Amino acid sequence: MRSIPPGVQIAPSILSADFAELGDQVDLVLAAGAKVIHIDVMDGQFVPPITMGPIVVKALAERVHDAGGFIDVHLMIEDPERQIDGFAEAEADLLTVHYEAVSEPLKAVERIRAAGMLAGIAIKPGTDVQVLEVVAEAVDLVLVMSVEPGWGGQRFIEASTEKIAEVRNLVGNGAVIEVDGGIDATTAASVVGAGASLLVAGSAVYSADDPQAAYRSIAAAASA
Ligand code: DX5
Ligand code: ZN
């Protein structure tokens, strides 16, 4: 089992990449220094869009792992437990399910770990941090959504920073806090200050003219 790369990490989300050139788009950010690749899985049910599944993770796994990288899969789907084995076989390193999509979050975490992956629980902007109490001891990562899940390119919800601090209080230093949505060079420092260390950036990286330079400037802002 691979561990989450230490320190503050920017995880480019391929949701905003050019899908006709997906392998090259992943290589580009790995070459710029990215160690975590974020993959957004949507089913048209939990959120309206449909994106990609294990078959895409599997197609990218070797190049990410050969470069020393880590595959972070964010499931925005109903009944995510049904897909755990498929993502394990596709060589995902971390599988995050939404609290709102599972009936027994602790069981979901245990099943993900039993399948050989690290386990994360995500909460939507409207979900209270306290619901995480039941998984606080067990989970490897908490993902705080700082936009409504479903689309890239939305504006960062300012109240997320306070939520990250609340999560840090709840889970102590036992779990990594990831933040997803609206992260760019202007929002990165405040979420790190609140306790997040894994920062997803989709459009800020891949919609930039120079994704490598954009990655580096967000990474620099996050560590400042
Ligand atoms: C949205 C996804 C995000 C998305 C973020 O539901 O979970 O990972 O790619 O996009 P940006 O960074 O553009 O807000
Ligand atoms: Zn995501």
Side-chain angles (χ1 to χ4, degrees):
M1 205 187 287
R2 289 181 185 80
S3 10
I4 299 170
V8 174
Q9 300 288 341
I10 308 302
S13 161
I14 61 169
L15 186 63
S16 291
D18 177 355
F19 276 65
E21 310 285 345
L22 200 49
D24 289 348
Q25 294 266 284
V26 169
D27 287 347
L28 196 65
V29 293
L30 290 170
K35 293 187 176 63
V36 181
I37 301 297
H38 184 84
I39 301 185
D40 288 302
V41 175
M42 305 186 192
D43 64 351
Q45 301 288 330
F46 183 76
V47 289
I50 297 175
T51 56
M52 52 203 144
I55 200 164
V56 175
V57 174
K58 196 168 178 57
L60 297 172
E62 197 173 305
R63 74 177 64 219
V64 175
H65 292 147
D66 283 356
F70 181 91
I71 300 183
D72 163 25
V73 175
H74 176 193
L75 297 185
M76 284 159 276
I77 66 176
E78 298 288 357
D79 292 330
E81 293 98 331
R82 292 167 57 199
Q83 305 297 335
I84 293 172
D85 291 342
F87 283 99
E89 281 158 25
E91 290 180 63
D93 298 306
L94 165 77
L95 196 63
T96 296
V97 299
H98 265 268
Y99 171 82
E100 303 85 0
V102 291
S103 46
E104 295 185 86
L106 188 56
K107 256 198 189 133
V109 165
E110 285 163 356
R111 287 195 52 203
I112 293 168
R113 292 195 58 99
M117 298 173 286
L118 296 178
I121 295 282
I123 51 171
K124 299 207 279 188
T127 300
D128 202 284
V129 168
Q130 289 311 315
V131 303
L132 296 169
E133 210 168 337
V134 53
V135 292
E137 302 277 306
V139 83
D140 297 295
L141 173 143
V142 171
L143 192 171
V144 175
M145 285 302 301
S146 41
V147 299
E148 288 300 330
W151 299 271
Q154 304 177 74
R155 201 184 152 83
F156 180 79
I157 298 171
E158 295 293 340
S160 314
T161 310
E162 178 57 34
K163 246 178 134 180
I164 291 165
E166 281 175 42
V167 174
R168 181 50 75 214
N169 263 338
L170 187 75
V171 302
N173 287 322
V176 164
I177 300 177
E178 179 173 30
V179 57
D180 186 1
I183 297 297
D184 59 20
T186 70
T187 49
S190 68
V191 296
V192 172
S197 59
L198 186 54
L199 279 56
V200 178
S203 56
V205 171
Y206 280 115
S207 302
D209 290 339
D210 182 345
Q212 292 187 313
Y215 167 83
R216 289 194 197 98
S217 80
I218 302 164
S223 317

